[in-house]
Amino acid sequence: MGLNDTPMAYRVHIGFFGRRNAGKSSVVNAVTGQQMSVVSDVKGTTTDPVYKSMELLPLGPVVIIDTPGFDDEGSLGELRIQKTREVLQRTDVAVLVADARAGLGACEKELVEMFRESGIPYLLVWNKSDLLEETPEDGENCISVSALYHTKIHELKEKIGSLAPQKEERMRLAADLVRPGDTAVLVTPIDSAAPKGRLILPQQLVIRDLIDADVCTVVVKENMLAEALQKLKEPPALVVTDSQVFGLVAKEVPQEVPLTSFSILMARYKGLLADAVRGAAAMKALQDGDRVLIAEGCTHHRQCGDIGTVKLPAWLKEYTGKELRYEFCSGMEFPQDLGKFRLILHCGGCMLNEREMRSRQRRAAEQGIPMTNYGVAIACMKGILKRSISMFPHLAEKL
Ligand code: SF4
């Protein structure tokens, strides 16, 4: 991925829902200008949604999620509802496509109920309006279109855009911790686990955020940190390090310089830092035989290397002195039932969108299972958590 590409996790996720004969696929294709739907008309062929990243004017970078027909007989009952809920966990705007001639049936009402329960803004799209003599009136959250004749598709896109979370409302990753013209030093170790020829996503995102805010951004490997600090005319306004070398970096960076990690910044950005700080306290209470879930957001190859599978278990053993049992999950998998775990250690989740991360956090909280993240857990185990969140006084003072 290049620096200019918007990662999937930072795109607005637009989910299309509806029964098969409402013409949902035609609406998806009209909106995207592409034939992207693979949901077959043959009954019961799939229960899996299709995701596609694209630039959608006037919205910008989005992920379109085309879901199977909600009345698909191959995904009846519980499974159908469970799959829909999974999609809703990462949906920012829901688009419900209904046949204008048929009105709202039980299927549409059930979907609306699910959108409401999940707190997701939704839009009702009356499709096939060309087949009616009188089209239903448009409202704030409803619009009549004809996918076949491409009628009011632009208006539909504008309405979706108006429901999407606005960029201005989103927090910065790091730029709010410094001022334009300040210097920030980023420590990015390049070990065997680092992806060849590029930086991992959290590092790319923080660099982008800082340079966009006119911050002089110096990126070094840990072995060049001391030299970089010496070359600066004055101490940097911020140092951000990879969690794995937190201990080493903390020794080299003067106490008065704010120091944090990429994972801590990611957790804050996703609104999860306070819970992660609370969750880290549970590490001390772990007992022999307790189960720990280590969850990573990468779908295919772990971009964070062996930190979750090798390093964290070793550090946790050293920190707790206990024999713990581990289970691992990655990508979109995250167990529904977390009851057997005593702790969840989650990666920074840069590949997962905010809604997904919050829903994982909520699931853990509802089941009473403490959940923390790699950066917070490592800082805690190395005794430097307080320092690494000192720039967020409302959290630091609770430690
Ligand atoms: S393991 Fe997690 S933090 Fe690391 S790159 Fe993947 S999603 Fe991002």
Side-chain angles (χ1 to χ4, degrees):
M1 193 191 77
L3 270 179
N4 291 326
D5 298 336
T6 306
M8 193 156 171
Y10 298 89
R11 293 167 174 263
V12 175
H13 284 49
I14 304 164
F16 285 81
F17 303 84
R19 63 175 81 221
R20 280 167 305 163
N21 58 13
K24 175 175 60 61
S25 302
S26 322
V27 173
V28 172
N29 292 339
V31 165
T32 59
Q34 302 182 12
Q35 295 287 323
M36 76 162 268
S37 176
V38 300
V39 180
S40 166
D41 282 339
V42 180
K43 288 182 181 178
T45 47
T46 179
T47 54
D48 292 324
V50 178
Y51 293 79
K52 190 162 171 62
S53 296
M54 59 174 64
E55 290 289 318
L56 190 60
L57 292 172
L59 280 169
V62 298
V63 174
I64 299 289
I65 313 171
D66 189 8
T67 63
F70 197 64
D71 56 338
D72 188 338
E73 286 175 14
S75 56
L76 271 182
E78 273 310 299
L79 179 62
R80 181 190 61 183
I81 290 169
Q82 188 193 316
K83 289 271 179 190
T84 305
R85 282 198 202 289
E86 276 171 26
V87 173
L88 289 177
Q89 278 169 19
R90 52 193 80 106
T91 299
D92 294 308
V93 179
V95 178
L96 171 56
V97 180
D99 186 329
R101 297 166 305 172
L104 288 188
C107 167
E108 288 79 14
K109 287 181 183 157
E110 198 177 346
L111 279 163
V112 167
E113 192 51 39
M114 290 171 84
F115 302 154
R116 287 193 177 139
E117 271 172 22
S118 311
I120 298 172
Y122 68 91
L123 184 62
L124 173 59
V125 178
W126 294 117
N127 188 28
K128 306 188 188 178
S129 63
D130 52 294
L131 299 175
L132 291 179
E133 290 201 351
E134 226 177 282
T135 50
E137 245 181 64
D138 294 348
E140 201 182 331
N141 288 77
C142 97
I143 183 168
S144 303
V145 305
S146 164
L148 181 64
Y149 294 106
H150 222 85
T151 313
K152 293 209 284 187
I153 297 300
H154 182 73
E155 288 85 343
L156 166 58
K157 289 199 253 181
E158 284 186 333
K159 270 196 181 297
I160 296 173
S162 70
L163 293 178
Q166 299 303 307
K167 270 202 188 101
E168 301 67 62
E169 290 168 14
R170 299 169 72 89
M171 278 175 57
R172 304 302 301 253
L173 255 168
D176 59 321
L177 302 174
V178 285
R179 286 171 305 193
D182 277 350
T183 301
V185 175
L186 311 186
V187 187
T188 63
I190 309 290
D191 57 18
S192 57
K196 273 218 163 29
R198 62 197 164 89
L199 298 169
I200 62 169
L201 196 50
Q203 298 165 351
Q204 295 178 26
L205 296 171
V206 172
I207 294 171
R208 180 84 240 184
D209 192 46
L210 289 171
I211 59 176
D212 275 352
D214 293 331
V215 175
C216 173
T217 308
V218 178
V219 184
V220 289
K221 291 194 289 182
E222 71 280 20
N223 61 338
M224 297 299 288
L225 175 62
E227 196 177 324
L229 291 174
Q230 263 175 19
K231 282 181 174 163
L232 293 177
K233 281 203 191 111
E234 51 191 57
L238 178 69
V239 176
V240 184
T241 178
D242 186 283
S243 303
Q244 297 185 66
V245 288
F246 218 139
L248 188 141
V249 172
K251 282 188 199 131
E252 291 195 7
V253 175
Q255 273 300 326
E256 62 280 9
V257 173
L259 166 67
T260 192
S261 72
F262 292 103
S263 319
I264 286 174
L265 293 180
M266 292 299 299
R268 180 181 74 122
Y269 184 75
K270 292 183 186 237
L272 304 168
L273 185 56
D275 283 335
V277 169
R278 265 194 300 276
M283 290 192 297
K284 262 283 172 240
L286 290 170
Q287 299 298 326
D288 284 328
D290 279 352
R291 272 180 210 276
V292 176
L293 174 66
I294 298 198
E296 297 198 333
C298 282
T299 332
H300 303 297
H301 304 292
R302 285 190 161 90
Q303 283 204 22
C304 283
D306 62 357
I307 180 165
T309 46
V310 179
K311 291 181 181 155
L312 271 173
W315 286 328
L316 208 47
K317 180 157 194 233
E318 196 183 316
Y319 181 69
T320 61
K322 306 290 180 199
E323 290 297 336
L324 304 168
R325 287 182 291 172
Y326 291 94
E327 286 189 25
F328 302 90
C329 67
S330 59
M332 295 298 182
E333 321 156 0
F334 187 74
Q336 287 292 332
D337 183 3
L338 299 164
K340 63 180 170 178
F341 302 110
R342 286 289 154 269
L343 176 70
I344 300 163
L345 281 175
H346 205 296
C347 73
C350 64
M351 300 288 192
L352 302 173
N353 74 354
E354 225 169 300
R355 190 174 274 279
E356 168 96 34
M357 280 303 289
R358 281 180 202 263
S359 93
R360 292 181 179 200
Q361 184 77 59
R362 200 171 40 244
R363 200 180 305 166
E366 280 166 6
Q367 297 180 37
I369 312 300
M371 174 164 151
T372 187
N373 91 352
Y374 286 10
V376 172
I378 295 169
C380 180
M381 290 188 278
K382 307 252 178 225
I384 45 176
L385 181 55
K386 195 157 190 158
R387 180 172 182 195
S388 60
I389 57 170
S390 61
M391 59 290 285
F392 316 119
H394 61 292
L395 294 177
E397 69 198 16
K398 289 190 183 138
L399 288 178

